[in-house]
Amino acid sequence: EAQVTQNPRYLITVTGKKLTVTCSQNMNHEYMSWYRQDPGLGLRQIYYSMNVEVTDKGDVPEGYKVSRKEKRNFPLILESPSPNQTSLYFCASSLSVASGRFVDTQYFGPGTRLTVL
Amino acid sequence: AQKVTQAQTEISVVEKEDVTLDCVYETRDTTYYLFWYKQPPSGELVFLIRRNSFDEQNEISGRYSWNFQKSTSSFNFTITASQVVDSAVYFCALSEYSGTYKYIFGTGTRLKVLA
């Protein structure tokens, strides 16, 4: 089954304790991205990756790191989480950048609800 | 700069009413993609439609229809004869190439369909 998976689905942690949220897709998609969803703010893009070893900042990258060592995986790393990073996080992937210029339809993972105390 | 505005924060309708969700976008490019996604109460994000900026034909899919108007930079979504199962948060999104490959979402509209 074609899908984007995220783990863990729920995580409660404390300020300053490093954590990683994994994301994996089995569709051989080139483009992957991370979003956070907060009430009233919609989905905001944190980082995206065009392909292996190619990543770039979205609109809210502060406090996050990513890596893309393999095409299928795109982990989100919070080196020192803070309470303002409490949010619902989504990973997404897209087959390609259409015509080399645009990001095509994205398919989302089930979400990770993170609480930082 | 890219921007997507969904001015309607929340809409409530009674079942079988028609409802239109508004989406207004800003872009510097003449070529771009627009999308609608649905987020039901279970939380997942479901793709509904993609529209290329060159294609201004309206699209209908069952009870769903989309009205794309470049002149007003709008991409509105209408649900005809709404049902309780349509209750969800709906997001409009924009993809353009402006030197980056960002993908911008609006803040979403929560639709409540009452029985």
Side-chain angles (χ1 to χ4, degrees):
Chain A
E1 179 190 354
Q3 60 183 351
V4 179
T5 57
Q6 296 178 227
N7 282 293
R9 295 289 311 279
Y10 302 90
L11 179 60
I12 301 174
T13 189
V14 295
T15 299
K17 186 176 181 181
K18 180 179 178 179
L19 66 92
T20 298
V21 183
T22 64
C23 173
S24 183
Q25 49 91 6
N26 62 0
M27 297 170 279
N28 201 34
H29 283 178
E30 293 179 347
Y31 185 93
M32 296 185 74
S33 63
W34 277 101
Y35 296 85
R36 60 178 290 173
Q37 182 178 7
D38 303 289
L41 297 177
L43 288 149
R44 294 180 293 168
Q45 195 170 36
I46 302 171
Y47 270 96
Y48 62 89
S49 170
M50 298 300 299
N51 214 321
V52 175
E53 303 291 1
V54 181
T55 63
D56 205 350
K57 297 177 181 178
D59 290 325
V60 288
E62 295 76 21
Y64 304 95
K65 286 177 58 177
V66 293
S67 68
R68 188 93 181 271
K69 292 182 169 54
E70 303 168 283
K71 197 171 187 179
R72 64 182 292 126
N73 296 323
F74 190 45
L76 180 69
I77 303 159
L78 284 72
E79 295 269 3
S80 182
S82 62
N84 64 13
Q85 293 178 298
T86 293
S87 187
L88 177 59
Y89 291 86
F90 286 98
C91 180
S93 70
S94 175
L95 176 61
S96 66
V97 176
S99 303
R101 296 185 65 198
F102 312 99
V103 182
D104 210 329
T105 303
Q106 291 194 83
Y107 297 92
F108 286 81
T112 295
R113 188 165 291 281
L114 171 66
T115 301
V116 183
L117 302 175
Chain B
Q2 295 170 294
K3 186 177 181 181
V4 176
T5 300
Q6 294 180 257
Q8 303 153 308
T9 305
E10 185 169 311
I11 302 174
S12 292
V13 298
V14 177
E15 206 170 19
K16 298 184 184 176
E17 284 185 0
D18 298 347
V19 59
T20 295
L21 309 182
D22 298 333
C23 173
V24 175
Y25 61 92
E26 293 178 26
T27 175
R28 295 178 294 189
D29 211 338
T30 57
T31 308
Y32 46 89
Y33 282 173
L34 293 163
F35 306 83
W36 276 95
Y37 289 84
K38 174 182 180 179
Q39 186 178 42
S42 51
E44 72 271 24
L45 284 155
V46 178
F47 164 72
L48 294 177
I49 189 171
R50 182 193 77 182
R51 173 61 72 215
N52 183 312
S53 57
F54 289 129
D55 182 1
E56 288 195 68
Q57 275 197 323
N58 291 332
E59 180 149 345
I60 297 174
S61 176
R63 295 183 297 106
Y64 293 174
S65 62
W66 290 269
N67 183 358
F68 176 37
Q69 292 195 338
K70 288 180 77 170
S71 60
T72 56
S73 297
S74 65
F75 186 41
N76 296 337
F77 173 30
T78 297
I79 302 174
T80 302
S82 59
Q83 300 176 1
V84 173
V85 293
D86 296 326
S87 297
V89 180
Y90 292 87
F91 291 97
C92 182
L94 167 69
S95 172
E96 67 166 20
Y97 180 64
S98 55
T100 70
Y101 292 97
K102 291 183 180 179
Y103 197 98
I104 303 298
F105 282 83
T107 52
T109 296
R110 181 179 298 278
L111 174 64
K112 293 184 177 180
V113 181
L114 308 172

